[in-house]
Structure formats: structure tokens, C-alpha cells
PDB file of all heavy atoms in Angstrom:
ATOM      1  N   ASP A 117      -1.325  18.787  16.976  1.00  0.00           N
ATOM      2  CA  ASP A 117      -1.874  19.044  18.342  1.00  0.00           C
ATOM      3  C   ASP A 117      -1.382  20.388  18.832  1.00  0.00           C
ATOM      4  O   ASP A 117      -2.115  21.201  19.467  1.00  0.00           O
ATOM      5  CB  ASP A 117      -1.463  17.963  19.279  1.00  0.00           C
ATOM      6  CG  ASP A 117      -2.141  16.650  19.016  1.00  0.00           C
ATOM      7  OD1 ASP A 117      -3.056  16.605  18.180  1.00  0.00           O
ATOM      8  OD2 ASP A 117      -1.654  15.609  19.524  1.00  0.00           O
ATOM      9  N   GLN A 118      -0.040  20.754  18.608  1.00  0.00           N
ATOM     10  CA  GLN A 118       0.494  21.999  19.035  1.00  0.00           C
ATOM     11  C   GLN A 118      -0.224  23.177  18.293  1.00  0.00           C
ATOM     12  O   GLN A 118      -0.467  24.264  18.944  1.00  0.00           O
ATOM     13  CB  GLN A 118       1.997  22.042  18.771  1.00  0.00           C
ATOM     14  CG  GLN A 118       2.780  21.097  19.636  1.00  0.00           C
ATOM     15  CD  GLN A 118       4.124  20.756  19.101  1.00  0.00           C
ATOM     16  OE1 GLN A 118       4.649  21.260  18.081  1.00  0.00           O
ATOM     17  NE2 GLN A 118       4.853  19.741  19.679  1.00  0.00           N
ATOM     18  N   LEU A 119      -0.426  23.034  17.062  1.00  0.00           N
ATOM     19  CA  LEU A 119      -1.100  24.043  16.307  1.00  0.00           C
ATOM     20  C   LEU A 119      -2.551  24.272  16.855  1.00  0.00           C
ATOM     21  O   LEU A 119      -3.068  25.409  16.906  1.00  0.00           O
ATOM     22  CB  LEU A 119      -1.113  23.751  14.767  1.00  0.00           C
ATOM     23  CG  LEU A 119       0.170  23.960  14.077  1.00  0.00           C
ATOM     24  CD1 LEU A 119       0.136  23.209  12.753  1.00  0.00           C
ATOM     25  CD2 LEU A 119       0.432  25.430  13.788  1.00  0.00           C
ATOM     26  N   ALA A 120      -3.176  23.144  17.112  1.00  0.00           N
ATOM     27  CA  ALA A 120      -4.542  23.236  17.738  1.00  0.00           C
ATOM     28  C   ALA A 120      -4.479  23.983  19.088  1.00  0.00           C
ATOM     29  O   ALA A 120      -5.370  24.792  19.381  1.00  0.00           O
ATOM     30  CB  ALA A 120      -5.141  21.850  17.904  1.00  0.00           C
ATOM     31  N   GLU A 121      -3.539  23.728  19.821  1.00  0.00           N
ATOM     32  CA  GLU A 121      -3.396  24.451  21.113  1.00  0.00           C
ATOM     33  C   GLU A 121      -3.192  25.910  20.917  1.00  0.00           C
ATOM     34  O   GLU A 121      -3.565  26.774  21.779  1.00  0.00           O
ATOM     35  CB  GLU A 121      -2.240  23.820  21.905  1.00  0.00           C
ATOM     36  CG  GLU A 121      -2.514  22.493  22.475  1.00  0.00           C
ATOM     37  CD  GLU A 121      -1.253  21.827  23.012  1.00  0.00           C
ATOM     38  OE1 GLU A 121      -0.178  22.478  23.090  1.00  0.00           O
ATOM     39  OE2 GLU A 121      -1.274  20.649  23.462  1.00  0.00           O
ATOM     40  N   ALA A 122      -2.575  26.301  19.743  1.00  0.00           N
ATOM     41  CA  ALA A 122      -2.387  27.648  19.437  1.00  0.00           C
ATOM     42  C   ALA A 122      -3.655  28.346  18.726  1.00  0.00           C
ATOM     43  O   ALA A 122      -3.607  29.477  18.300  1.00  0.00           O
ATOM     44  CB  ALA A 122      -1.173  27.815  18.510  1.00  0.00           C
ATOM     45  N   GLY A 123      -4.684  27.464  18.536  1.00  0.00           N
ATOM     46  CA  GLY A 123      -5.892  28.077  18.064  1.00  0.00           C
ATOM     47  C   GLY A 123      -6.276  27.724  16.616  1.00  0.00           C
ATOM     48  O   GLY A 123      -7.239  28.259  16.107  1.00  0.00           O
ATOM     49  N   PHE A 124      -5.447  26.898  16.006  1.00  0.00           N
ATOM     50  CA  PHE A 124      -5.681  26.565  14.580  1.00  0.00           C
ATOM     51  C   PHE A 124      -6.359  25.131  14.460  1.00  0.00           C
ATOM     52  O   PHE A 124      -6.219  24.283  15.358  1.00  0.00           O
ATOM     53  CB  PHE A 124      -4.374  26.423  13.817  1.00  0.00           C
ATOM     54  CG  PHE A 124      -3.637  27.728  13.771  1.00  0.00           C
ATOM     55  CD1 PHE A 124      -2.598  28.014  14.618  1.00  0.00           C
ATOM     56  CD2 PHE A 124      -3.967  28.755  12.849  1.00  0.00           C
ATOM     57  CE1 PHE A 124      -1.885  29.191  14.582  1.00  0.00           C
ATOM     58  CE2 PHE A 124      -3.294  29.957  12.856  1.00  0.00           C
ATOM     59  CZ  PHE A 124      -2.250  30.162  13.735  1.00  0.00           C
ATOM     60  N   VAL A 125      -7.198  24.962  13.457  1.00  0.00           N
ATOM     61  CA  VAL A 125      -7.603  23.643  13.020  1.00  0.00           C
ATOM     62  C   VAL A 125      -6.664  23.043  12.133  1.00  0.00           C
ATOM     63  O   VAL A 125      -6.400  23.495  10.981  1.00  0.00           O
ATOM     64  CB  VAL A 125      -9.017  23.748  12.368  1.00  0.00           C
ATOM     65  CG1 VAL A 125      -9.550  22.317  12.031  1.00  0.00           C
ATOM     66  CG2 VAL A 125     -10.063  24.496  13.142  1.00  0.00           C
ATOM     67  N   ALA A 126      -5.888  21.935  12.626  1.00  0.00           N
ATOM     68  CA  ALA A 126      -4.764  21.427  11.871  1.00  0.00           C
ATOM     69  C   ALA A 126      -5.116  20.073  11.305  1.00  0.00           C
ATOM     70  O   ALA A 126      -5.745  19.222  11.902  1.00  0.00           O
ATOM     71  CB  ALA A 126      -3.592  21.242  12.793  1.00  0.00           C
ATOM     72  N   LEU A 127      -4.763  19.877  10.020  1.00  0.00           N
ATOM     73  CA  LEU A 127      -5.090  18.617   9.297  1.00  0.00           C
ATOM     74  C   LEU A 127      -3.888  18.126   8.542  1.00  0.00           C
ATOM     75  O   LEU A 127      -3.375  18.847   7.665  1.00  0.00           O
ATOM     76  CB  LEU A 127      -6.278  18.988   8.391  1.00  0.00           C
ATOM     77  CG  LEU A 127      -6.943  17.801   7.564  1.00  0.00           C
ATOM     78  CD1 LEU A 127      -7.518  16.754   8.512  1.00  0.00           C
ATOM     79  CD2 LEU A 127      -8.058  18.364   6.704  1.00  0.00           C
ATOM     80  N   CYS A 128      -3.477  16.929   8.841  1.00  0.00           N
ATOM     81  CA  CYS A 128      -2.284  16.316   8.183  1.00  0.00           C
ATOM     82  C   CYS A 128      -2.661  15.243   7.281  1.00  0.00           C
ATOM     83  O   CYS A 128      -2.941  14.134   7.789  1.00  0.00           O
ATOM     84  CB  CYS A 128      -1.305  15.888   9.305  1.00  0.00           C
ATOM     85  SG  CYS A 128       0.261  15.287   8.598  1.00  0.00           S
ATOM     86  N   PRO A 129      -2.688  15.376   5.977  1.00  0.00           N
ATOM     87  CA  PRO A 129      -3.142  14.265   5.060  1.00  0.00           C
ATOM     88  C   PRO A 129      -2.031  13.266   4.829  1.00  0.00           C
ATOM     89  O   PRO A 129      -0.808  13.560   4.893  1.00  0.00           O
ATOM     90  CB  PRO A 129      -3.418  15.114   3.728  1.00  0.00           C
ATOM     91  CG  PRO A 129      -2.478  16.247   3.800  1.00  0.00           C
ATOM     92  CD  PRO A 129      -2.359  16.617   5.254  1.00  0.00           C
ATOM     93  N   ASP A 130      -2.469  12.020   4.547  1.00  0.00           N
ATOM     94  CA  ASP A 130      -1.589  10.966   4.221  1.00  0.00           C
ATOM     95  C   ASP A 130      -1.190  11.085   2.723  1.00  0.00           C
ATOM     96  O   ASP A 130      -1.890  10.545   1.883  1.00  0.00           O
ATOM     97  CB  ASP A 130      -2.272   9.612   4.463  1.00  0.00           C
ATOM     98  CG  ASP A 130      -1.379   8.410   4.079  1.00  0.00           C
ATOM     99  OD1 ASP A 130      -0.234   8.569   3.766  1.00  0.00           O
ATOM    100  OD2 ASP A 130      -1.900   7.258   4.065  1.00  0.00           O
ATOM    101  N   LEU A 131      -0.013  11.722   2.488  1.00  0.00           N
ATOM    102  CA  LEU A 131       0.370  12.057   1.081  1.00  0.00           C
ATOM    103  C   LEU A 131       0.987  10.828   0.438  1.00  0.00           C
ATOM    104  O   LEU A 131       1.218  10.878  -0.758  1.00  0.00           O
ATOM    105  CB  LEU A 131       1.259  13.217   1.070  1.00  0.00           C
ATOM    106  CG  LEU A 131       0.638  14.549   1.566  1.00  0.00           C
ATOM    107  CD1 LEU A 131       1.636  15.700   1.490  1.00  0.00           C
ATOM    108  CD2 LEU A 131      -0.628  14.886   0.697  1.00  0.00           C
ATOM    109  N   PHE A 132       1.294   9.781   1.192  1.00  0.00           N
ATOM    110  CA  PHE A 132       1.877   8.588   0.562  1.00  0.00           C
ATOM    111  C   PHE A 132       0.819   7.518   0.248  1.00  0.00           C
ATOM    112  O   PHE A 132       1.196   6.383  -0.148  1.00  0.00           O
ATOM    113  CB  PHE A 132       2.931   7.933   1.556  1.00  0.00           C
ATOM    114  CG  PHE A 132       4.212   8.644   1.609  1.00  0.00           C
ATOM    115  CD1 PHE A 132       5.121   8.512   2.691  1.00  0.00           C
ATOM    116  CD2 PHE A 132       4.673   9.494   0.530  1.00  0.00           C
ATOM    117  CE1 PHE A 132       6.338   9.141   2.719  1.00  0.00           C
ATOM    118  CE2 PHE A 132       5.917  10.142   0.591  1.00  0.00           C
ATOM    119  CZ  PHE A 132       6.777   9.919   1.720  1.00  0.00           C
ATOM    120  N   TRP A 133      -0.424   7.830   0.382  1.00  0.00           N
ATOM    121  CA  TRP A 133      -1.500   6.851   0.286  1.00  0.00           C
ATOM    122  C   TRP A 133      -1.514   6.200  -1.119  1.00  0.00           C
ATOM    123  O   TRP A 133      -1.903   4.949  -1.192  1.00  0.00           O
ATOM    124  CB  TRP A 133      -2.860   7.551   0.532  1.00  0.00           C
ATOM    125  CG  TRP A 133      -3.376   8.379  -0.567  1.00  0.00           C
ATOM    126  CD1 TRP A 133      -3.020   9.693  -0.744  1.00  0.00           C
ATOM    127  CD2 TRP A 133      -4.260   8.027  -1.607  1.00  0.00           C
ATOM    128  NE1 TRP A 133      -3.729  10.208  -1.949  1.00  0.00           N
ATOM    129  CE2 TRP A 133      -4.464   9.155  -2.396  1.00  0.00           C
ATOM    130  CE3 TRP A 133      -4.955   6.836  -1.941  1.00  0.00           C
ATOM    131  CZ2 TRP A 133      -5.313   9.143  -3.557  1.00  0.00           C
ATOM    132  CZ3 TRP A 133      -5.817   6.801  -3.121  1.00  0.00           C
ATOM    133  CH2 TRP A 133      -5.921   7.954  -3.869  1.00  0.00           C
ATOM    134  N   ARG A 134      -1.078   6.852  -2.160  1.00  0.00           N
ATOM    135  CA  ARG A 134      -1.103   6.231  -3.482  1.00  0.00           C
ATOM    136  C   ARG A 134      -0.002   5.150  -3.551  1.00  0.00           C
ATOM    137  O   ARG A 134      -0.148   4.287  -4.462  1.00  0.00           O
ATOM    138  CB  ARG A 134      -0.855   7.347  -4.544  1.00  0.00           C
ATOM    139  CG  ARG A 134      -1.914   8.392  -4.684  1.00  0.00           C
ATOM    140  CD  ARG A 134      -1.451   9.508  -5.539  1.00  0.00           C
ATOM    141  NE  ARG A 134      -2.263  10.748  -5.522  1.00  0.00           N
ATOM    142  CZ  ARG A 134      -3.071  11.137  -6.471  1.00  0.00           C
ATOM    143  NH1 ARG A 134      -3.167  10.386  -7.590  1.00  0.00           N
ATOM    144  NH2 ARG A 134      -3.794  12.241  -6.378  1.00  0.00           N
ATOM    145  N   ILE A 135       1.041   5.257  -2.780  1.00  0.00           N
ATOM    146  CA  ILE A 135       2.085   4.281  -2.729  1.00  0.00           C
ATOM    147  C   ILE A 135       1.767   3.243  -1.724  1.00  0.00           C
ATOM    148  O   ILE A 135       1.878   2.003  -1.966  1.00  0.00           O
ATOM    149  CB  ILE A 135       3.493   5.017  -2.451  1.00  0.00           C
ATOM    150  CG1 ILE A 135       3.694   6.183  -3.304  1.00  0.00           C
ATOM    151  CG2 ILE A 135       4.619   3.956  -2.538  1.00  0.00           C
ATOM    152  CD1 ILE A 135       4.794   7.144  -2.842  1.00  0.00           C
ATOM    153  N   GLU A 136       1.613   3.624  -0.465  1.00  0.00           N
ATOM    154  CA  GLU A 136       1.314   2.786   0.641  1.00  0.00           C
ATOM    155  C   GLU A 136       0.516   3.583   1.686  1.00  0.00           C
ATOM    156  O   GLU A 136       1.105   4.384   2.362  1.00  0.00           O
ATOM    157  CB  GLU A 136       2.618   2.235   1.295  1.00  0.00           C
ATOM    158  CG  GLU A 136       2.342   1.269   2.407  1.00  0.00           C
ATOM    159  CD  GLU A 136       3.677   0.864   3.136  1.00  0.00           C
ATOM    160  OE1 GLU A 136       4.733   0.807   2.424  1.00  0.00           O
ATOM    161  OE2 GLU A 136       3.592   0.585   4.389  1.00  0.00           O
ATOM    162  N   PRO A 137      -0.753   3.284   1.841  1.00  0.00           N
ATOM    163  CA  PRO A 137      -1.559   4.003   2.828  1.00  0.00           C
ATOM    164  C   PRO A 137      -1.084   3.707   4.247  1.00  0.00           C
ATOM    165  O   PRO A 137      -0.601   2.631   4.596  1.00  0.00           O
ATOM    166  CB  PRO A 137      -2.952   3.441   2.627  1.00  0.00           C
ATOM    167  CG  PRO A 137      -2.996   2.839   1.272  1.00  0.00           C
ATOM    168  CD  PRO A 137      -1.524   2.305   1.088  1.00  0.00           C
ATOM    169  N   GLY A 138      -1.186   4.757   5.100  1.00  0.00           N
ATOM    170  CA  GLY A 138      -0.953   4.534   6.519  1.00  0.00           C
ATOM    171  C   GLY A 138       0.475   4.478   6.928  1.00  0.00           C
ATOM    172  O   GLY A 138       0.807   3.934   8.032  1.00  0.00           O
ATOM    173  N   VAL A 139       1.416   4.975   6.160  1.00  0.00           N
ATOM    174  CA  VAL A 139       2.848   4.968   6.610  1.00  0.00           C
ATOM    175  C   VAL A 139       3.017   5.796   7.898  1.00  0.00           C
ATOM    176  O   VAL A 139       2.570   7.020   8.007  1.00  0.00           O
ATOM    177  CB  VAL A 139       3.743   5.582   5.478  1.00  0.00           C
ATOM    178  CG1 VAL A 139       5.177   5.723   6.036  1.00  0.00           C
ATOM    179  CG2 VAL A 139       3.794   4.742   4.300  1.00  0.00           C
ATOM    180  N   ASP A 140       3.589   5.113   8.916  1.00  0.00           N
ATOM    181  CA  ASP A 140       3.844   5.820  10.223  1.00  0.00           C
ATOM    182  C   ASP A 140       5.120   5.156  10.747  1.00  0.00           C
ATOM    183  O   ASP A 140       5.121   4.225  11.533  1.00  0.00           O
ATOM    184  CB  ASP A 140       2.666   5.541  11.123  1.00  0.00           C
ATOM    185  CG  ASP A 140       2.783   6.108  12.480  1.00  0.00           C
ATOM    186  OD1 ASP A 140       3.868   6.596  12.819  1.00  0.00           O
ATOM    187  OD2 ASP A 140       1.820   5.953  13.257  1.00  0.00           O
ATOM    188  N   ILE A 141       6.275   5.853  10.403  1.00  0.00           N
ATOM    189  CA  ILE A 141       7.541   5.322  10.782  1.00  0.00           C
ATOM    190  C   ILE A 141       8.366   6.469  11.486  1.00  0.00           C
ATOM    191  O   ILE A 141       7.989   7.586  11.446  1.00  0.00           O
ATOM    192  CB  ILE A 141       8.340   4.699   9.660  1.00  0.00           C
ATOM    193  CG1 ILE A 141       8.528   5.683   8.458  1.00  0.00           C
ATOM    194  CG2 ILE A 141       7.619   3.458   9.122  1.00  0.00           C
ATOM    195  CD1 ILE A 141       9.328   5.167   7.309  1.00  0.00           C
ATOM    196  N   THR A 142       9.529   6.114  12.003  1.00  0.00           N
ATOM    197  CA  THR A 142      10.374   7.103  12.728  1.00  0.00           C
ATOM    198  C   THR A 142      11.718   7.220  12.033  1.00  0.00           C
ATOM    199  O   THR A 142      11.961   6.638  10.988  1.00  0.00           O
ATOM    200  CB  THR A 142      10.583   6.643  14.190  1.00  0.00           C
ATOM    201  OG1 THR A 142      11.598   5.651  14.220  1.00  0.00           O
ATOM    202  CG2 THR A 142       9.324   6.209  14.818  1.00  0.00           C
ATOM    203  N   ASP A 143      12.549   8.049  12.632  1.00  0.00           N
ATOM    204  CA  ASP A 143      13.919   8.264  12.049  1.00  0.00           C
ATOM    205  C   ASP A 143      14.942   7.487  12.953  1.00  0.00           C
ATOM    206  O   ASP A 143      16.091   7.862  12.977  1.00  0.00           O
ATOM    207  CB  ASP A 143      14.278   9.754  12.012  1.00  0.00           C
ATOM    208  CG  ASP A 143      14.212  10.411  13.394  1.00  0.00           C
ATOM    209  OD1 ASP A 143      13.647   9.809  14.361  1.00  0.00           O
ATOM    210  OD2 ASP A 143      14.747  11.492  13.593  1.00  0.00           O
ATOM    211  N   LYS A 144      14.459   6.487  13.674  1.00  0.00           N
ATOM    212  CA  LYS A 144      15.296   5.793  14.696  1.00  0.00           C
ATOM    213  C   LYS A 144      16.033   4.546  14.269  1.00  0.00           C
ATOM    214  O   LYS A 144      16.855   4.017  14.967  1.00  0.00           O
ATOM    215  CB  LYS A 144      14.446   5.545  15.924  1.00  0.00           C
ATOM    216  CG  LYS A 144      13.758   6.746  16.530  1.00  0.00           C
ATOM    217  CD  LYS A 144      14.698   7.839  16.865  1.00  0.00           C
ATOM    218  CE  LYS A 144      13.997   8.967  17.501  1.00  0.00           C
ATOM    219  NZ  LYS A 144      14.862  10.220  17.583  1.00  0.00           N
ATOM    220  N   SER A 145      15.770   4.105  13.040  1.00  0.00           N
ATOM    221  CA  SER A 145      16.473   2.862  12.629  1.00  0.00           C
ATOM    222  C   SER A 145      16.811   2.967  11.134  1.00  0.00           C
ATOM    223  O   SER A 145      16.269   3.702  10.369  1.00  0.00           O
ATOM    224  CB  SER A 145      15.554   1.645  12.820  1.00  0.00           C
ATOM    225  OG  SER A 145      14.501   1.658  11.863  1.00  0.00           O
ATOM    226  N   GLU A 146      17.918   2.199  10.810  1.00  0.00           N
ATOM    227  CA  GLU A 146      18.383   2.282   9.373  1.00  0.00           C
ATOM    228  C   GLU A 146      17.285   1.744   8.434  1.00  0.00           C
ATOM    229  O   GLU A 146      17.088   2.200   7.343  1.00  0.00           O
ATOM    230  CB  GLU A 146      19.646   1.395   9.292  1.00  0.00           C
ATOM    231  CG  GLU A 146      20.253   1.450   7.831  1.00  0.00           C
ATOM    232  CD  GLU A 146      21.556   0.626   7.714  1.00  0.00           C
ATOM    233  OE1 GLU A 146      22.046   0.092   8.731  1.00  0.00           O
ATOM    234  OE2 GLU A 146      22.012   0.477   6.588  1.00  0.00           O
ATOM    235  N   ALA A 147      16.544   0.715   8.864  1.00  0.00           N
ATOM    236  CA  ALA A 147      15.533   0.135   8.037  1.00  0.00           C
ATOM    237  C   ALA A 147      14.398   1.158   7.743  1.00  0.00           C
ATOM    238  O   ALA A 147      13.891   1.297   6.568  1.00  0.00           O
ATOM    239  CB  ALA A 147      14.849  -1.143   8.751  1.00  0.00           C
ATOM    240  N   GLU A 148      14.061   1.985   8.773  1.00  0.00           N
ATOM    241  CA  GLU A 148      13.001   3.010   8.566  1.00  0.00           C
ATOM    242  C   GLU A 148      13.525   4.077   7.676  1.00  0.00           C
ATOM    243  O   GLU A 148      12.767   4.606   6.764  1.00  0.00           O
ATOM    244  CB  GLU A 148      12.643   3.540   9.906  1.00  0.00           C
ATOM    245  CG  GLU A 148      11.775   2.610  10.741  1.00  0.00           C
ATOM    246  CD  GLU A 148      11.458   3.130  12.123  1.00  0.00           C
ATOM    247  OE1 GLU A 148      12.430   3.386  12.927  1.00  0.00           O
ATOM    248  OE2 GLU A 148      10.312   3.242  12.473  1.00  0.00           O
ATOM    249  N   TRP A 149      14.807   4.432   7.786  1.00  0.00           N
ATOM    250  CA  TRP A 149      15.398   5.476   6.867  1.00  0.00           C
ATOM    251  C   TRP A 149      15.394   4.932   5.397  1.00  0.00           C
ATOM    252  O   TRP A 149      14.962   5.780   4.494  1.00  0.00           O
ATOM    253  CB  TRP A 149      16.844   5.803   7.258  1.00  0.00           C
ATOM    254  CG  TRP A 149      16.912   6.894   8.271  1.00  0.00           C
ATOM    255  CD1 TRP A 149      17.199   6.772   9.627  1.00  0.00           C
ATOM    256  CD2 TRP A 149      16.759   8.265   8.082  1.00  0.00           C
ATOM    257  NE1 TRP A 149      17.141   7.971  10.200  1.00  0.00           N
ATOM    258  CE2 TRP A 149      16.936   8.967   9.296  1.00  0.00           C
ATOM    259  CE3 TRP A 149      16.528   9.061   6.826  1.00  0.00           C
ATOM    260  CZ2 TRP A 149      16.871  10.336   9.419  1.00  0.00           C
ATOM    261  CZ3 TRP A 149      16.487  10.474   7.022  1.00  0.00           C
ATOM    262  CH2 TRP A 149      16.646  11.080   8.233  1.00  0.00           C
ATOM    263  N   LYS A 150      15.710   3.731   5.241  1.00  0.00           N
ATOM    264  CA  LYS A 150      15.697   3.131   3.863  1.00  0.00           C
ATOM    265  C   LYS A 150      14.263   3.157   3.267  1.00  0.00           C
ATOM    266  O   LYS A 150      14.072   3.550   2.126  1.00  0.00           O
ATOM    267  CB  LYS A 150      16.253   1.717   3.888  1.00  0.00           C
ATOM    268  CG  LYS A 150      17.773   1.636   4.032  1.00  0.00           C
ATOM    269  CD  LYS A 150      18.203   0.149   3.939  1.00  0.00           C
ATOM    270  CE  LYS A 150      19.751   0.051   4.020  1.00  0.00           C
ATOM    271  NZ  LYS A 150      20.233  -1.337   4.011  1.00  0.00           N
ATOM    272  N   LYS A 151      13.296   2.812   4.091  1.00  0.00           N
ATOM    273  CA  LYS A 151      11.910   2.815   3.675  1.00  0.00           C
ATOM    274  C   LYS A 151      11.483   4.246   3.315  1.00  0.00           C
ATOM    275  O   LYS A 151      10.841   4.477   2.312  1.00  0.00           O
ATOM    276  CB  LYS A 151      11.011   2.235   4.691  1.00  0.00           C
ATOM    277  CG  LYS A 151       9.512   2.247   4.259  1.00  0.00           C
ATOM    278  CD  LYS A 151       8.627   1.414   5.120  1.00  0.00           C
ATOM    279  CE  LYS A 151       7.221   1.445   4.645  1.00  0.00           C
ATOM    280  NZ  LYS A 151       6.353   0.426   5.280  1.00  0.00           N
ATOM    281  N   ALA A 152      11.873   5.193   4.221  1.00  0.00           N
ATOM    282  CA  ALA A 152      11.469   6.616   4.009  1.00  0.00           C
ATOM    283  C   ALA A 152      12.068   7.089   2.705  1.00  0.00           C
ATOM    284  O   ALA A 152      11.307   7.825   1.880  1.00  0.00           O
ATOM    285  CB  ALA A 152      11.923   7.426   5.183  1.00  0.00           C
ATOM    286  N   PHE A 153      13.309   6.835   2.400  1.00  0.00           N
ATOM    287  CA  PHE A 153      13.898   7.361   1.103  1.00  0.00           C
ATOM    288  C   PHE A 153      13.270   6.669  -0.040  1.00  0.00           C
ATOM    289  O   PHE A 153      13.088   7.277  -1.153  1.00  0.00           O
ATOM    290  CB  PHE A 153      15.413   7.043   1.201  1.00  0.00           C
ATOM    291  CG  PHE A 153      16.186   8.186   1.954  1.00  0.00           C
ATOM    292  CD1 PHE A 153      16.924   7.887   3.040  1.00  0.00           C
ATOM    293  CD2 PHE A 153      16.121   9.433   1.442  1.00  0.00           C
ATOM    294  CE1 PHE A 153      17.573   8.848   3.701  1.00  0.00           C
ATOM    295  CE2 PHE A 153      16.789  10.517   2.153  1.00  0.00           C
ATOM    296  CZ  PHE A 153      17.545  10.185   3.236  1.00  0.00           C
ATOM    297  N   SER A 154      12.903   5.368   0.058  1.00  0.00           N
ATOM    298  CA  SER A 154      12.279   4.704  -1.089  1.00  0.00           C
ATOM    299  C   SER A 154      10.855   5.253  -1.325  1.00  0.00           C
ATOM    300  O   SER A 154      10.474   5.465  -2.490  1.00  0.00           O
ATOM    301  CB  SER A 154      12.174   3.131  -0.817  1.00  0.00           C
ATOM    302  OG  SER A 154      11.229   2.883   0.157  1.00  0.00           O
TER     303      SER A 154
END
């Protein structure tokens, strides 16, 4: 969104889709960190 505000067409692909589509987690819990590293 910030890049779009600066005039760019920004596209963020789901690069984990081959493992698990739709991953959307944060850095706020130990469980999420463990999942992210795996």
C-alpha cells in the first residue's frame, strides 16, 4: 500500500503456496515464530 501511495503498482506473491497456501502470521508469539522458521 505504501509503494502504491508512492506511485508504484505493487504485487506481493504467496511464495509459501507450495508448502501451505495463504500463510498470514505475525512475529508476536513463540508459536508463530516456530511456524515461520519451519
Side-chain angles (χ1 to χ4, degrees):
D117 293 346
Q118 291 159 6
L119 286 163
E121 288 170 5
F124 299 98
V125 181
L127 187 57
C128 184
D130 177 8
L131 297 178
F132 284 159
W133 74 276
R134 298 169 190 251
I135 309 163
E136 179 185 332
V139 172
D140 178 356
I141 58 179
T142 76
D143 61 343
K144 303 305 181 191
S145 72
E146 184 179 354
E148 287 174 301
W149 272 102
K150 284 183 176 177
K151 177 167 185 170
F153 277 118
S154 71

